[in-house]
């Protein structure tokens, strides 16, 4: 596939030398390159195909990286990465040791702000704009935010601040709303393009400011202001942004360089807070993605000529699917159940539930704080809310979790998908901290099921409690354990012994591995080599203190294993339990280290961290194989 123009672009300065005709050709080549790359590596597709022309126009008009561009979420930045010197590195996208699927400051000077979660761009860009004023630097700050991310409360907090002056005056900030669902705007046409050019141009600005100065302090000033506001409100949907202090421009076609470039050039030279509304289409230029932007949002490898294909063999049931099936079954059994998601219907497995129980389904948008407190309000009225949320996103509702749910001891179930490492999406999406940040909260329990069947039972157990409970489970499938139908529960607060060491008590060689979650299975494999006892703890809170005491008194060392942060995690809970009982025993904690884990294949990441069977065995031998003589000799030693 020829990329004759794209191959000449190693930095945005190269595309700024191109003619408008060449820019159109460049956009076409860039779109084909993104499609070709993602089809080989997997990654976000629909969102990136929708921002091709916008990315070209931004780097053409603005002097990046001197001018700052902040991309909200960042899952639409592949064109940006390609145009800023990372074209060849795209073959390593989201792979271990390769480039990230999101902006990262350490990766490029053009990535001005690291993102991965939504609704942060306006706040960050506003900070950069005010910093430029304080430092006496002439530079523009641009925030590119999608219509979905604009549902996040943080975005409105930033807009409210951005339109207000402080000691250094108004910020020179441009917010670009990338509206790809047409959820706000009317159809785009020639009139809107004309209005955008007119409103963003110097003549309109001069006339507007001149009228202000003439009418200021006269009764006609307020009348003129209202007339302008309502006149614009009849043809453009920007009244809310104008009220917040931004000059609204748009909507314009986000795939039309002849509309984008002159409008951006006008806005680039205007002081103060500006708001540009562009309309784009997810998957634009690739018909299959245009028709099905959800399934092409984050596809695995595929053939662009054929499109996504259904697997020839039935895949294992994922934990997300286990949750979705359980939710529907529990809703049928208990009409008090209501389900809440912060804009993650597909990702959290709620599609079937929405279809079957539309009145009991609430998608609150990308507003995790609201989701948690909304659930608390429902619980106050006797309903049983289930909040389906990624582990990493619940972090954004932490204050509400403590004050609005736990403090009032309300029976809300938090179904924490993507607990532990998530692979290609990396540190921004990893659920590494939930055990640590949840188990310190009074009234709240935390369950860590080890497989698919236990996950269903854990969810039932959680739902039937009269206090808040979180159930954490990983992305993807487990070992393929058959899921029993029905709504059976786990014994509350109790773990189970899954393997007993053959070493006699008092031999000095008995070890017990206390496993939390899906790492039970590599722990069992390691235990076979070590002849160790294995306990499936099931609960990170409440800890099964009876089982812990029994193991501590009958073994010579304990090892805890979890796919979560060691600092403050489930292993720490075991140590605290032993200390409270006055027991001293050699203790080894295995889990995620005190560092952010990069993107890459999840299995390879776990292996690199020593959390596969071989790694667990090696860690135990290293710790206990010498002076304590606790380890069974390895084969052929």
């Amino acid at each position: 596939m020829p990329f004759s123009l794209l191959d000449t672009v190693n930095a945005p300065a190269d595309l700024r030398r191109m003619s408008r005709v060449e820019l159109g050709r460049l956009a076409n080549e860039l779109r084909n390159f993104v499609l070709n790359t993602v089809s080989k590596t997997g990654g976000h597709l629909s969102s990136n195909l929708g921002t091709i022309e916008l990315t070209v126009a931004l780097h053409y008009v603005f002097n990046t990286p001197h001018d700052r561009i902040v991309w909200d979420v960042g899952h639409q930045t592949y064109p940006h990465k390609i145009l800023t010197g990372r074209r060849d590195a795209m073959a390593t996208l989201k792979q271990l040791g390769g480039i990230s699927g999101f902006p990262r400051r350490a990766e490029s000077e053009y990535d001005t702000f690291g993102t991965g979660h939504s609704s942060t761009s306006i706040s960050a860009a506003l900070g950069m704009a005010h910093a430029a004023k304080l430092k006496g630097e002439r530079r523009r700050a641009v925030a590119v935010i999608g219509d979905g991310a604009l549902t996040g409360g943080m975005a409105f907090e930033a807009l409210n601040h951005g339109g207000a002056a402080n000691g250094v005056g108004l910020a020179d900030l441009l917010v670009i709303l990338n509206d790809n669902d047409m959820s706000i705007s009317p159809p785009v046409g020639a009139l809107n393009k004309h209005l955008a050019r007119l409103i963003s141009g110097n003549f309109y600005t001069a006339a507007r400011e001149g009228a202000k100065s003439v009418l200021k302090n006269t009764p006609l000033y307020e009348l003129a202001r209202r007339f302008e506001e309502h006149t614009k409100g009849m043809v453009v949907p920007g009244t809310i942004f104008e009220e917040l202090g931004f000059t609204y421009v748009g909507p314009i076609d986000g795939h039309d360089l002849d509309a984008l470039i002159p409008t951006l050039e006008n806005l680039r030279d205007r002081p103060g807070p500006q708001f540009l509304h562009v309309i784009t289409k997810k998957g634009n230029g690739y018909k299959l993605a245009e028709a099905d932007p959800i399934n092409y949002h984050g596809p695995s490898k595929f053939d662009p000529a054929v499109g996504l294909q259904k697997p020839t063999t039935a895949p294992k049931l994922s934990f997300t699917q286990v949750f979705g099936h359980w939710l529907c079954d529990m809703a049928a059994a208990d009409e008090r159940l209501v389900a809440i998601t912060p804009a993650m219907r597909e990702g959290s497995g709620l599609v079937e539930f929405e279809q079957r129980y539309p009145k009991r389904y609430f998608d609150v948008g990308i507003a995790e704080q609201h989701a948690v407190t909304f659930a608390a309000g429902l619980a106050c009225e006797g309903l049983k809310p289930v909040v389906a949320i990624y582990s990493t996103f619940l972090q954004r509702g932490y204050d509400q979790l403590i004050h609005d749910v736990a403090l009032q001891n309300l029976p809300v179930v938090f179904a924490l998908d993507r607990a532990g490492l998530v692979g290609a999406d990396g540190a921004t999406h990893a659920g590494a901290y939930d055990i640590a940040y949840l188990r310190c909260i009074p009234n709240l329990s935390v369950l860590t099921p080890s497989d698919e069947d236990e996950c269903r039972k854990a969810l039932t157990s959680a739902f039937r409690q009269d206090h808040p409970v979180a159930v954490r489970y990983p992305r993807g499938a487990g070992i393929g354990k058959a899921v029993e139908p029905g709504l059976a529960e786990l014994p509350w607060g109790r773990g189970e012994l899954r393997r007993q060491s053959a070493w006699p008590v008092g031999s000095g060689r008995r070890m017990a591995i206390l496993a939390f979650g899906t790492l039970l299975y590599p722990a069992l494999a390691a235990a076979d080599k070590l002849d160790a006892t294995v306990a499936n703890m099931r609960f990170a809170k409440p800890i099964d203190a009876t089982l812990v005491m029994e193991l501590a008194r009958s073994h010579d060392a304990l090892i805890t294993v979890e796919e979560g942060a060691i600092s403050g995690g489930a292993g720490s809970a075991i140590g605290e339990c032993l200390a409270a009982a006055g027991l001293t025993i050699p203790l080894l904690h295995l889990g995620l280290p005190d560092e952010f884990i990069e993107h890459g294949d999840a299995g390879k990441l776990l292996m690199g961290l020593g959390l596969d069977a071989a790694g667990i065995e090696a860690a135990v031998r290293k710790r206990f194989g010498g002076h304590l003589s606790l380890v069974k000799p390895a084969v052929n030693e």
Side-chain angles (χ1 to χ4, degrees), residues 49-386:
L49 294 179
T51 57
I52 299 291
E53 289 82 8
L54 178 59
T55 304
V56 169
L58 283 169
H59 282 296
Y60 179 79
V61 171
F62 290 93
N63 182 27
T64 54
H66 176 77
D67 291 328
R68 315 300 199 206
I69 300 177
V70 180
W71 301 89
D72 209 279
V73 183
H75 64 328
Q76 77 285 53
T77 55
Y78 298 179
H80 161 80
K81 286 175 180 276
I82 294 164
L83 295 176
T84 54
R86 287 166 279 181
R87 180 179 63 249
D88 295 339
M90 288 297 291
T92 69
L93 181 69
K94 303 179 79 169
Q95 298 169 34
L96 187 61
I99 64 171
S100 171
F102 300 94
R104 292 188 62 195
R105 283 171 54 83
E107 190 176 288
S108 170
E109 63 178 335
Y110 292 92
D111 292 359
T112 60
F113 196 78
T115 51
H117 289 193
S118 75
S119 312
T120 63
S121 61
I122 304 175
S123 297
L126 179 60
M128 294 174 183
H130 276 301
K133 278 189 172 290
L134 287 168
K135 294 162 67 178
E137 298 171 348
R138 288 186 57 84
R139 68 171 85 243
R140 295 296 305 201
V142 182
V144 184
I145 185 168
D147 56 331
L150 201 62
T151 64
M154 186 176 175
F156 284 94
E157 292 173 15
L159 286 170
N160 183 57
H161 181 202
N166 68 359
V168 295
L170 289 166
D172 294 332
L173 172 69
L174 170 60
V175 175
I176 298 177
L177 172 60
N178 176 29
D179 182 359
N180 51 34
D181 277 330
M182 300 191 70
S183 56
I184 301 175
S185 65
V188 176
L191 174 60
N192 284 323
K193 184 187 298 186
H194 173 71
L195 283 172
R197 288 190 180 185
L198 175 65
I199 294 171
S200 67
N202 292 329
F203 176 79
Y204 174 86
T205 303
R208 187 173 188 257
E209 297 304 316
K212 277 186 180 181
S213 63
V214 171
L215 297 176
K216 194 72 171 175
N217 300 320
T218 74
L220 292 177
Y221 175 76
E222 181 63 18
L223 177 65
R225 186 191 68 80
R226 291 186 180 184
F227 178 77
E228 178 199 36
E229 176 181 289
H230 291 295
T231 300
K232 287 177 67 178
M234 287 188 286
V235 291
V236 293
T239 303
I240 184 173
F241 305 111
E242 294 274 357
E243 292 288 351
L244 289 169
F246 285 74
T247 300
Y248 175 90
V249 175
I252 63 172
D253 186 348
H255 301 298
D256 184 352
L257 288 171
D258 289 334
L260 282 169
I261 289 174
T263 302
L264 287 172
E265 287 175 337
N266 286 336
L267 294 174
R268 177 193 60 198
D269 300 326
R270 290 182 58 176
Q274 314 294 323
F275 192 100
L276 173 62
H277 186 169
V278 303
I279 305 297
T280 62
K281 186 177 182 63
K282 283 186 176 180
N284 188 62
Y286 182 51
K287 296 300 183 183
L288 295 174
E290 289 180 16
D292 189 6
I294 293 176
N295 281 324
Y296 282 89
H297 173 73
S300 300
K301 299 177 184 180
F302 68 100
D303 182 350
V306 177
L308 300 179
Q309 299 294 300
K310 292 183 178 180
T312 55
T313 58
K316 292 180 182 178
L317 198 65
S318 71
F319 281 95
T320 303
Q321 290 171 315
V322 170
F323 166 73
H325 297 162
W326 168 83
L327 191 67
C328 291
D329 292 345
M330 183 56 78
D334 192 330
E335 63 182 12
R336 296 175 299 165
L337 185 150
V338 290
I340 302 162
T341 179
M344 295 303 296
R345 182 189 66 171
E346 288 78 19
S348 293
L350 293 172
V351 174
E352 182 183 358
F353 182 88
E354 183 197 15
Q355 294 169 348
R356 290 177 57 180
Y357 301 100
K359 293 183 179 180
R360 295 156 68 180
Y361 167 81
F362 299 94
D363 184 343
V364 301
I366 304 176
E368 293 86 359
Q369 293 173 304
H370 166 62
V372 175
T373 303
F374 175 63
L378 290 165
C380 283
E381 298 302 316
L383 298 180
K384 295 278 285 189
V386 177

Side-chain angles (χ1 to χ4, degrees), residues 275-622:
F275 192 100
L276 173 62
H277 186 169
V278 303
I279 305 297
T280 62
K281 186 177 182 63
K282 283 186 176 180
N284 188 62
Y286 182 51
K287 296 300 183 183
L288 295 174
E290 289 180 16
D292 189 6
I294 293 176
N295 281 324
Y296 282 89
H297 173 73
S300 300
K301 299 177 184 180
F302 68 100
D303 182 350
V306 177
L308 300 179
Q309 299 294 300
K310 292 183 178 180
T312 55
T313 58
K316 292 180 182 178
L317 198 65
S318 71
F319 281 95
T320 303
Q321 290 171 315
V322 170
F323 166 73
H325 297 162
W326 168 83
L327 191 67
C328 291
D329 292 345
M330 183 56 78
D334 192 330
E335 63 182 12
R336 296 175 299 165
L337 185 150
V338 290
I340 302 162
T341 179
M344 295 303 296
R345 182 189 66 171
E346 288 78 19
S348 293
L350 293 172
V351 174
E352 182 183 358
F353 182 88
E354 183 197 15
Q355 294 169 348
R356 290 177 57 180
Y357 301 100
K359 293 183 179 180
R360 295 156 68 180
Y361 167 81
F362 299 94
D363 184 343
V364 301
I366 304 176
E368 293 86 359
Q369 293 173 304
H370 166 62
V372 175
T373 303
F374 175 63
L378 290 165
C380 283
E381 298 302 316
L383 298 180
K384 295 278 285 189
V386 177
V387 180
I389 188 169
Y390 290 6
S391 168
T392 185
F393 296 150
L394 183 57
Q395 295 164 187
R396 309 184 78 183
Y398 193 58
D399 182 71
Q400 290 70 26
L401 178 63
I402 295 174
H403 289 275
D404 300 336
V405 176
L407 184 62
Q408 303 185 93
N409 201 25
L410 295 171
V412 178
V413 174
F414 294 93
L416 302 190
D417 206 326
R418 272 65 168 177
L421 299 182
V422 293
D425 285 337
T428 58
H429 285 59
Y433 313 110
D434 50 65
I435 295 177
Y437 73 67
L438 291 175
R439 74 175 192 85
C440 61
I441 302 175
N443 296 329
L444 180 68
S445 296
V446 184
L447 280 69
T448 61
S450 61
D451 56 41
E452 298 89 338
D453 183 59
E454 198 165 80
C455 184
R456 182 179 173 94
K457 291 182 172 67
L459 289 162
T460 302
S461 303
F463 185 79
R464 288 179 174 160
Q465 302 305 307
D466 59 358
H467 58 86
V469 184
V471 181
R472 74 185 305 262
Y473 47 90
R475 181 179 189 174
I479 62 164
K481 181 77 174 291
V483 179
E484 295 179 7
L487 296 169
E489 298 180 47
L490 298 173
W492 187 257
R494 299 291 301 276
E496 62 167 356
L497 284 176
R498 293 291 294 267
R499 189 188 190 279
Q500 284 275 18
S501 172
W503 293 109
V505 176
S507 65
R509 290 178 177 272
R510 281 174 62 86
M511 291 176 299
I513 302 176
L514 287 66
F516 294 86
T518 55
L519 291 189
L520 169 68
Y521 290 96
L524 284 168
D528 286 341
K529 300 289 185 66
L530 300 165
D531 191 10
T533 295
V534 177
N536 174 21
M537 295 304 295
R538 289 176 169 166
F539 290 79
K541 185 182 180 184
I543 287 291
D544 186 346
T546 301
L547 179 57
V548 173
M549 294 304 105
E550 176 188 326
L551 293 171
R553 292 189 174 104
S554 60
H555 291 74
D556 302 295
L558 301 182
I559 301 98
T560 66
V561 181
E562 60 191 297
E563 193 176 337
I566 293 174
S567 301
S572 294
I574 298 298
E576 293 162 11
C577 182
L578 294 169
L583 291 177
T584 301
I585 184 174
L587 189 59
L588 171 63
H589 296 315
L590 301 179
L592 301 182
D594 188 21
E595 62 188 57
F596 293 109
I597 309 302
E598 297 300 329
H599 55 271
D601 176 79
K604 292 180 180 178
L605 290 173
L606 287 173
M607 182 173 63
L609 293 167
L611 294 176
D612 60 342
I616 294 170
E617 179 190 356
V620 173
R621 291 188 182 282
K622 180 179 179 181

